[in-house]
């Protein structure tokens, strides 16, 4: 696929994806959603990629759905909203199914689908100037892009309800205090901090990280018995990896392990 709206760079096992429509705050059209989905799906098949870092170009992370596409100012027929949302759904599933860590570096405002795209990633670090806005209600829409799934699980029902119903700006520091995101970094050092984290994750036992992600995904809906069973199955798989053998050997030899992701 030829990428128009997403920049892709691979370095030290990290695939860096940059949403690149800064003039409209990286608002997402169907093309961009498709490119992101394709990039995550390709990362799943590429053993040289062991972590993904997602960010936005310019002053925003992503302002959500491109409203010029959803409601063309020239009055031309808008696309079917069901099609637009199906594109976001496929993207979220690609992120959650990717058995590799995904770090979101939220460099500025994350609104609507853009906020929920960030929250679907595994580890979210935001610039101290960033804000999260469930902007949907402000234009008469309903949170999508997995917002109604992850938001109550991250911050609890009461806070999720007020964020979704009031559509207010949540500053990064408060998002961290509420447990919605992992950390906040000064804007000037955000990419350095998030990049270092992604590079570190890319040196870790990738298959174990993937199994951890699978277990946490399933924990959202499993009961205790099913979750315990899953933990046992995944531990059996993890114990057969080369990285497990290396981890134990390194411990016994009192040295740092060198994980290969196998
Ligand atoms: O089918 C469907 O639509 C269903 C799917 C829905 C998913 C959704 O995401 S719905 C929610 C869509 N997003 C929004 O409603 C947010 C709209 N944007 C804003 O509220 C504000 O732009 C921000 C609070 C995010 C940032 O405000 P500010 O003051 O920093 O920037 P600005 O001046 O509003 O925006 C700068 C430019 O970006 C501006 O263009 P201009 O005037 O310089 O030519 C603005 O129009 C453009 N822009 C910002 N957001 C969008 C956008 N253009 C298209 N779509 C956007 N979402």
């Amino acid at each position: 696929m030829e990428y128009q709206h997403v920049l892709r760079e691979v370095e030290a096992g990290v695939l860096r994806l940059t949403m690149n429509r800064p003039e409209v705050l990286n608002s997402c059209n169907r093309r961009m959603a498709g490119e992101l989905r394709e990039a995550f799906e390709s990362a799943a098949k590429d053993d040289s990629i062991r972590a993904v870092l997602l960010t936005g170009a310019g002053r925003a992370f992503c302002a959500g759905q491109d409203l010029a596409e959803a409601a063309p100012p020239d009055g031309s027929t808008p696309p079917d909203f069901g099609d637009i949302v199906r594109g976001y759904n496929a993207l979220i599933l690609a992120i959650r199914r990717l058995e590799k860590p995904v770090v979101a570096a939220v460099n500025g405002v994350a609104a609507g689908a853009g906020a929920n795209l960030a929250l679907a990633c595994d580890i979210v670090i935001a610039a101290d100037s960033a804000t999260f806005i469930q902007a949907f209600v402000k234009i008469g829409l309903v949170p999508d892009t997995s917002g109604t799934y992850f938001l109550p699980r991250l911050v609890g029902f009461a806070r999720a309800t007020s964020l979704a119903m009031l559509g207010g700006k949540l500053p990064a520091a408060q998002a961290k205090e509420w447990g919605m995101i992992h950390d906040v970094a000064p804007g000037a050092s955000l990419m350095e901090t998030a990049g270092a984290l992604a590079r570190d994750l890319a040196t870790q036992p990738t298959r174990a990280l993937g199994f951890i992600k699978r277990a946490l995904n399933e924990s959202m809906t499993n009961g205790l018995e099913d979750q315990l069973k899953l933990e046992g199955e995944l531990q059996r798989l993890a114990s057969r990896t080369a990285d497990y053998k290396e981890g134990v050997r390194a411990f016994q030899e009192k040295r740092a392990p060198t994980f290969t992701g196998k």
Side-chain angles (χ1 to χ4, degrees):
M1 173 186 241
E2 195 190 320
Y3 287 75
Q4 280 177 14
H5 303 316
V6 177
L7 305 177
R8 294 179 319 143
E9 298 152 83
V10 180
E11 196 201 339
V14 177
L15 169 65
R16 178 163 156 172
L17 299 175
T18 306
M19 294 176 277
N20 191 31
R21 303 179 75 218
E23 65 288 355
V24 285
L25 307 188
N26 305 317
S27 59
C28 191
N29 55 22
R30 281 175 296 171
R31 171 104 203 172
M32 187 196 275
E35 289 178 14
L36 287 169
R37 177 188 51 74
E38 156 75 19
F40 281 105
E41 286 178 354
S42 303
K45 297 175 209 143
D46 185 342
D47 287 346
S48 71
I49 293 171
R50 294 174 63 187
V52 181
L53 177 61
L54 175 65
T55 193
R59 70 179 175 92
F61 178 74
C62 171
Q65 169 61 35
D66 178 351
L67 296 176
E69 178 188 66
D74 64 4
S76 56
T77 311
D80 182 81
F81 276 28
D83 284 345
I84 293 180
V85 172
R86 268 190 289 280
Y88 289 126
N89 294 352
L91 168 57
I92 296 301
L93 291 175
I95 293 173
R96 295 314 310 162
R97 285 175 182 155
L98 175 64
E99 294 209 342
K100 299 177 185 183
V102 179
V103 176
V106 179
N107 52 304
V109 65
N116 294 336
L117 172 61
L119 300 183
C121 295
D122 297 306
I123 298 183
V124 184
I125 304 186
D128 48 9
S129 59
T131 51
F132 294 83
I133 313 176
Q134 293 295 319
F136 308 87
V137 70
K138 296 287 189 190
I139 53 169
L141 290 180
V142 178
D144 59 18
T145 318
S146 73
T148 59
Y149 186 83
F150 287 112
L151 209 52
R153 287 166 168 83
L154 288 165
V155 299
F157 207 79
R159 284 170 170 165
T161 304
S162 57
L163 288 171
M165 288 197 170
L166 302 176
K169 266 187 199 176
L170 188 71
Q174 201 169 356
K176 181 184 175 185
E177 196 187 309
W178 285 10
M180 197 170 104
I181 62 172
H182 169 66
D183 210 355
V184 178
S189 57
L190 172 72
M191 291 318 296
E192 196 183 310
T193 305
L197 176 68
R199 282 193 299 280
D200 180 52
L201 284 164
T203 66
Q204 299 303 314
T206 309
R207 297 195 55 207
L209 295 182
F211 296 147
I212 290 168
K213 185 162 173 175
R214 202 191 302 178
L216 293 175
N217 279 343
E218 297 288 320
S219 79
M220 298 283 194
T221 48
N222 268 351
L224 177 61
E225 282 186 32
D226 285 338
Q227 193 65 17
L228 288 171
K229 195 168 152 225
L230 177 65
E231 286 178 2
E233 285 164 9
L234 293 176
Q235 203 65 295
R236 190 163 44 81
L237 294 177
S239 71
R240 293 176 183 166
T241 64
D243 281 342
Y244 164 70
K245 292 184 181 73
E246 164 63 6
V248 174
R249 204 178 310 120
F251 173 78
Q252 290 167 344
E253 293 169 3
K254 300 191 188 307
R255 61 173 174 82
T258 303
F259 294 120
T260 58
K262 301 213 160 50

